[in-house]
């Protein structure tokens, strides 16, 4: 871990912490853990940054610095905090008035400079070999077969840490996945975004130019995705913008929903703006300005004003690992409406049209893994329930265009794989059938 690592996190020498009470919020420092009021609750949070509320200037103070002298003037501070055991999207600036001085504060101590020993624990690779080519019986077995365990470490983020140079090289050669979570900026730089009739609060940091960041509202054209820091500039742009749909080919339409295919090489500006927008809501992936190797598929909803973007997914034009999806996003104003499933299903329809199996780029985020696991499970259960006879895992892969690994992962998550009479079989429980 480098000097920028969070206190109390594994790696390097473990830093000791002191717990004490304070009499003023000015005694807080970056890296300390204090209690703040949040939605009528008291939550512990880590202080990531401090700024003067009036001047909006950051005050970079650590635990080694002396408390600020606030005796002569009544300075007011704001603290950028991360609530412990809560998602990063809830990080926010809070005024010093929300600090609970009656609660103890945990201050990190400076780490001792000690030589690191060489005994790093090596991860053991335990894989179970499964016969995927043989026939697999569906239905309920007469006796309770032995359950089989499954390791899903391949679907989660790796533990190793990449340098910035290695990470960029990884992105250039194999897609858009950020491999090191410590490389992702920890502080949001946008307060509010206005897009059409919606006002959206960003979840994460996005690398918009500095002159557009930290403004009260960032105005985004919902058709060309150009961004403006001033309402007057945005209004002038809307009178001149003639675009009423994404600048690509409409390849699918049903009712008021349409899919547009956009080549990143031909529409660089639009695709870069789309990446900046999506980064506000995707913390685990970073698609850099090199959008040429990617195709973007935009899901839109049509009304009398035009086609409004709902979400999108991107994929590499040529993927060595046969990935059929790199990034996927449904905008917050359209979430919990089933559009994420539409995006995932369309990516597999493209794989069917190409005549090959596909899989999303891995490792997946926690929410991405949950969404895909649900999608795979539902599609497989629907297929197996209506299927009569024997079917192999390879047959399932050909019918669905899911990879064998993804099918096995979904079946293991359903606890549907059993070892019975010398072979693996699929057993769908009543709970799975009813769901």
């Amino acid at each position: 871990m480098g000097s920028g690592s969070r206190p109390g996190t594994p790696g390097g020498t473990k830093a000791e912490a002191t717990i004490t009470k304070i009499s003023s919020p000015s005694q807080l420092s970056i890296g300390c853990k204090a209690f703040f009021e949040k939605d009528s609750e008291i939550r512990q949070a880590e202080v990531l940054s401090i700024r003067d509320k009036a001047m909006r200037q950051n005050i970079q103070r650590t635990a080694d610095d002396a408390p600020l002298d606030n005796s002569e003037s009544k300075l007011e501070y704001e603290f950028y905090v991360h609530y412990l055991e809560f998602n990063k999207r809830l990080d926010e600036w809070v005024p010093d008035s929300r600090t609970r001085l009656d609660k103890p504060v945990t201050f990190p101590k400076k780490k001792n400079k000690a030589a690191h020993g060489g005994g790093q624990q090596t991860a053991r690779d335990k894989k179970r070999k499964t016969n995927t080519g043989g026939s697999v019986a569906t239905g309920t077995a007469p006796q309770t077969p032995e359950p089989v365990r499954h390791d899903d470490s391949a679907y989660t983020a790796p533990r190793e840490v990449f340098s910035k140079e290695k990470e960029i090289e990884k992105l250039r050669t194999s897609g858009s996945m950020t491999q090191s979570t410590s490389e992702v900026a920890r502080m949001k730089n946008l307060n509010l975004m206005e897009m059409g009739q919606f006002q959206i609060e960003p979840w994460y940091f996005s690398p918009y130019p500095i002159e557009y960041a930290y403004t009260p509202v960032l105005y985004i054209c919902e058709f060309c995705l150009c961004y403006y820091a001033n309402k007057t500039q945005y209004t002038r742009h809307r009178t001149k913008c003639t675009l009423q749909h994404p600048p690509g080919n409409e390849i699918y339409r049903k009712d008021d929903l349409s899919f547009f295919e956009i080549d990143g090489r031909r529409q660089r500006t639009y695709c870069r703006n789309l990446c900046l927008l999506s980064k506000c809501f995707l913390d685990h992936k970073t698609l850099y300005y090199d959008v040429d190797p990617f195709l973007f598929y935009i899901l839109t909803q049509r009304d009398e004003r035009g086609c409004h973007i709902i979400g999108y997914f991107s994929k590499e034009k040529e993927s060595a690992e046969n990935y059929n999806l790199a990034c996927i996003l449904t905008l917050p104003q359209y979430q919990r409406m089933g559009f994420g499933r539409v995006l995932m299903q369309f990516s597999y329809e493209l794989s069917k049209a190409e005549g090959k199996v596909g899989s999303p780029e891995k490792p997946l985020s926690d929410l991405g893994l949950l969404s895909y696991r649900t999608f795979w499970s539902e599609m497989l259960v629907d297929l197996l329930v209506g299927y009569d006879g024997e079917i192999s895992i390879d047959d399932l892969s050909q019918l669905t265009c899911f990879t064998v690994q993804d099918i096995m992962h979904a079946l293991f998550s359903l606890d549907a794989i059993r070892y019975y009479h010398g072979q693996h079989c699929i057993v769908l429980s009543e709970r799975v059938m009813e769901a």
Side-chain angles (χ1 to χ4, degrees):
M1 279 287 183
S3 59
S5 61
R6 293 175 59 178
T9 54
T13 22
K14 187 176 180 181
E16 298 179 357
T18 55
I19 301 176
T20 183
K21 284 192 175 184
I22 60 175
S23 58
S24 171
S26 63
Q27 295 177 276
L28 295 178
S29 62
I30 296 175
C32 71
K33 298 176 182 178
F35 286 87
F36 298 87
E37 295 179 356
K38 168 71 173 176
D39 298 334
S40 302
E41 296 181 359
I42 300 176
R43 298 179 182 175
Q44 190 178 22
E46 179 184 356
V47 178
L48 303 182
S49 184
I50 305 172
R51 73 183 181 188
D52 181 358
K53 186 176 181 180
M55 301 299 294
R56 300 287 185 178
Q57 293 179 347
N58 284 9
I59 304 170
Q60 301 297 333
R61 296 194 302 116
T62 65
D64 299 327
D65 299 327
L68 292 179
D69 185 6
N70 194 18
S71 57
E72 297 182 359
S73 59
K74 293 294 182 182
L75 294 178
E76 293 184 358
Y77 303 107
E78 286 184 335
F79 305 96
Y80 191 84
V81 299
H82 167 69
Y83 297 101
L84 302 184
E85 300 181 0
F86 283 88
N87 193 280
K88 183 180 173 183
R89 70 184 64 171
L90 298 179
D91 294 3
E92 61 178 349
W93 286 101
V94 299
D96 54 9
S97 59
R98 285 169 54 181
T99 309
R100 292 301 300 259
L101 301 178
D102 58 329
K103 298 289 185 179
V105 179
T106 304
F107 289 94
K109 278 190 175 180
K110 191 174 182 180
K111 294 182 180 180
N112 296 327
K113 294 181 179 180
H116 296 282
Q120 276 192 333
Q121 189 175 2
T122 308
R124 290 178 297 176
D125 229 348
K126 293 185 177 180
K127 297 183 180 179
R128 290 180 175 269
K129 295 183 179 180
T130 306
N131 182 13
T132 59
S135 61
V136 179
T138 61
T140 305
Q143 300 178 4
T144 304
E146 177 187 354
V148 182
R149 296 181 180 271
H150 178 62
D151 181 17
D152 60 353
S153 58
Y155 289 81
T156 55
R159 294 287 184 180
E160 56 183 325
V161 178
F162 287 77
S163 66
K164 194 67 177 178
E165 292 75 16
K166 289 184 179 180
E167 183 184 5
I168 293 176
E169 181 62 25
K170 180 77 173 177
L171 291 167
R172 292 183 183 277
T173 57
S174 62
S176 61
M177 176 66 68
T178 292
Q179 304 293 336
S180 173
T181 55
S182 63
E183 292 291 339
V184 180
R186 299 180 64 191
M187 290 176 51
K188 288 185 288 189
N189 58 339
L190 298 175
N191 298 317
L192 197 65
M193 304 165 60
E194 185 173 307
M195 191 174 178
Q197 60 179 334
F198 299 101
Q199 283 194 336
I200 315 166
E201 183 178 350
W203 296 349
Y204 306 112
F205 171 87
S206 181
Y208 280 96
I210 189 65
E211 59 268 24
Y212 296 94
Y214 305 106
T215 57
V217 181
L218 182 68
Y219 300 92
I220 299 178
C221 177
E222 58 182 333
F223 296 111
C224 68
L225 303 184
C226 291
Y227 44 89
Y228 300 90
N230 185 278
K231 179 71 171 179
T232 304
Q233 294 175 347
Y234 170 73
T235 304
R236 186 184 301 117
H237 165 80
R238 287 300 306 136
T239 60
K240 298 180 180 180
C241 182
T242 59
L243 203 62
Q244 293 183 327
H245 58 78
N249 298 323
E250 186 180 13
I251 60 175
Y252 176 85
R253 179 190 294 179
K254 182 177 181 181
D255 300 329
D256 60 343
L257 298 181
S258 298
F259 268 99
F260 290 84
E261 182 183 61
I262 300 179
D263 190 335
R265 184 178 63 86
R266 296 184 177 181
Q267 299 291 341
R268 288 193 181 99
T269 300
Y270 181 89
C271 294
R272 289 171 180 173
N273 291 341
L274 179 62
C275 293
L276 288 173
L277 174 63
S278 64
K279 187 62 185 70
C280 293
F281 311 102
L282 295 175
D283 188 40
H284 60 286
K285 290 188 179 182
T286 303
L287 190 59
Y288 285 85
Y289 276 79
D290 186 16
V291 296
D292 291 16
F294 292 89
L295 293 172
F296 296 81
Y297 295 88
I298 317 297
L299 175 61
T300 64
Q301 191 170 36
R302 186 176 62 258
D303 62 12
E304 64 278 359
R305 295 177 54 243
C307 297
H308 307 273
I309 179 172
I310 294 175
Y312 85 101
F313 70 88
S314 61
K315 62 178 294 187
E316 292 180 274
K317 297 175 183 177
E318 298 292 336
S319 175
E321 296 84 358
N322 287 330
Y323 290 141
N324 65 357
L325 185 144
C327 290
I328 182 172
L329 171 70
T330 302
L331 292 176
Q333 61 266 35
Y334 295 104
Q335 291 182 0
R336 298 184 179 274
M337 298 181 184
F339 292 121
R341 180 186 176 93
V342 175
L343 290 167
M344 288 185 285
Q345 190 165 0
F346 195 80
S347 69
Y348 281 103
E349 292 299 326
L350 292 177
S351 296
K352 289 180 181 179
E354 295 171 359
K356 58 184 181 182
V357 298
S359 181
E361 185 178 318
K362 299 176 181 66
L364 296 169
S365 66
D366 50 353
L367 295 178
L369 176 58
L370 181 62
S371 300
Y372 262 99
R373 182 186 293 163
T374 302
F375 173 74
W376 292 329
S377 302
E378 291 177 354
M379 295 292 291
L380 291 173
V381 170
D382 290 343
L383 178 60
L384 292 172
V385 168
Y387 194 87
D388 186 17
E390 292 187 351
I391 188 172
S392 68
I393 300 296
D394 287 336
D395 294 335
L396 288 175
S397 179
Q398 293 298 321
L399 291 173
T400 60
C401 285
F402 300 166
T403 63
V404 171
Q405 183 184 18
D406 293 340
I407 293 174
M408 296 300 296
H409 177 82
L411 293 176
F412 277 118
S413 69
L414 294 173
D415 198 22
I417 298 293
R418 297 288 188 272
Y419 190 73
Y420 182 66
H421 285 182
Q423 69 171 353
H424 291 87
C425 59
I426 302 175
V427 179
L428 299 180
S429 63
E430 293 183 1
R431 175 184 58 83
V432 173
M433 300 281 285
E434 293 174 355

